[in-house]
Amino acid sequence: MSSGTWTITGSGADIWGTSDEFRFAYQQITGDVDIRVRLASLEDFRKYSKAGVMIRETLNADSRNAFMLLRADNTLFLQSRPRP
């Protein structure tokens, strides 16, 4: 992170189903949070290439989470895993 900017180069199979495989940066937070994001670029390497902000219960691959994402085709989604 430099001057409030995070640059992340992605990889992995997907964020879906019962186990995730993706590249991420994280910061541990307790309590309420206000997150504002500007996605500068997203390349369409795979059919479901995506980027966004995810709130996770743990760092485990099967963690409960909520993920606000933008796909490379400019489709906006809210994706979640309510239980592992």
Side-chain angles (χ1 to χ4, degrees), residues 12-57:
D14 204 354
I15 305 166
W16 188 256
T18 58
S19 183
D20 301 326
E21 183 182 326
F22 66 111
R23 179 81 47 99
F24 64 96
Y26 75 95
Q27 183 173 350
Q28 205 166 1
I29 298 172
T30 303
D32 296 339
V33 63
D34 181 7
I35 301 172
R36 298 165 195 234
V37 175
R38 178 182 167 273
L39 180 59
S41 67
L42 174 60
E43 295 182 35
D44 193 2
F45 286 109
R46 299 176 68 122
K47 183 176 180 181
Y48 296 110
S49 293
K50 56 188 101 168
V53 174
M54 178 184 287
I55 305 294
R56 296 180 72 85
E57 184 176 41

Side-chain angles (χ1 to χ4, degrees), residues 15-16 50-55 65-71 75-82:
I15 305 166
W16 188 256
K50 56 188 101 168
V53 174
M54 178 184 287
I55 305 294
N65 68 70
F67 182 26
M68 192 70 217
L69 66 99
L70 180 68
R71 286 195 337 204
T75 306
L76 193 61
F77 282 99
L78 174 60
Q79 177 179 308
S80 67
R81 180 182 303 119

